[in-house]
Amino acid sequence: MNKTEFESRIIAMQDVLYRVSVTILREPKDREDAIQECILKAIVKREKLKDDRAMQAWVIRILINECYAILRKNRRMIPLDKLPEREAENGGDPEVFRMLFSLPDKLRLPMVLYYVEGYSTEEIAKMLSVPAGTVRSRLTRGREKLKTMMESEEAATV
């Protein structure tokens, strides 16, 4: 794949990259930094990509690593209780969004990649560097936790 084609495929991925970054980072400026750094690293290291079909998973793995690097850096700078709440995307259910983002990272990220972005468990496993069975078990635990939260929410409103 030549440089122009590579760059056009990355540009086409911007919405996906943004949605993945939202699952990890709270601050818009941090998301923008992570996406920008991800794109830069992907372009610089594009020769290391062995299979063009795996490009999207490879770029998302770079993004996830960048997001976690920003979290590590910010952990020393901003108290967690000072961070603003995330808001649901346009057309999304704010309650489901709130519940999804109350899940731990290990459960939330596979849920978003699978249900929102449409990746297979095998693709997610490559992105997260875990076995596919681990991804499936995290999806199961995530669904169970969401179901429990929804049931307790319904019980509280009755």
Side-chain angles (χ1 to χ4, degrees):
M1 169 180 345
N2 65 32
K3 184 177 179 182
T4 306
E5 182 184 349
F6 186 85
E7 290 171 357
S8 66
R9 285 181 64 185
I10 283 188
I11 290 169
M13 290 177 58
Q14 285 183 336
D15 288 341
V16 172
L17 296 176
Y18 176 78
R19 287 189 299 266
V20 170
S21 70
V22 166
T23 65
I24 301 171
L25 300 170
R26 293 179 183 246
E27 289 291 324
K29 66 179 179 58
D30 289 339
R31 294 178 207 147
E32 293 166 3
D33 288 347
I35 293 169
Q36 183 177 6
E37 193 63 30
C38 165
I39 291 171
L40 178 65
K41 283 185 177 180
I43 290 172
V44 169
K45 297 181 180 189
R46 74 183 172 89
E47 299 302 321
K48 291 186 177 186
L49 179 62
K50 293 175 179 63
D51 183 2
D52 292 348
R53 294 174 298 180
M55 178 189 165
Q56 194 162 5
W58 181 71
V59 172
I60 288 174
R61 181 71 245 171
I62 293 170
L63 176 65
I64 291 168
N65 289 340
E66 286 303 314
C67 289
Y68 286 132
I70 289 172
L71 280 178
R72 283 190 301 275
K73 181 185 86 170
N74 288 348
R75 213 173 271 148
R76 294 170 283 202
M77 301 172 115
I78 303 172
L80 291 176
D81 60 334
K82 303 273 186 203
L83 292 175
E85 288 295 318
R86 294 179 174 113
E87 296 180 15
E89 296 289 320
N90 293 340
D93 183 345
E95 284 303 307
V96 173
F97 187 82
R98 181 187 58 77
M99 289 178 201
L100 180 64
F101 277 87
S102 68
L103 292 174
D105 284 347
K106 283 187 174 185
L107 301 180
R108 181 178 61 241
L109 191 54
M111 298 278 288
V112 170
L113 290 171
Y114 186 79
Y115 291 108
V116 177
E117 299 303 330
Y119 288 102
S120 70
T121 55
E122 289 77 19
E123 291 171 319
I124 297 168
K126 287 179 187 173
M127 289 178 211
L128 301 179
S129 302
V130 297
T134 301
V135 171
R136 287 189 289 274
S137 68
R138 289 178 182 176
L139 288 170
T140 300
R141 284 198 323 263
R143 285 190 301 266
E144 289 169 356
K145 284 191 179 254
L146 281 177
K147 181 180 177 186
T148 302
M149 284 188 252
M150 289 178 178
E151 288 171 349
S152 65
E153 187 88 12
E154 287 176 13
T157 58
V158 174

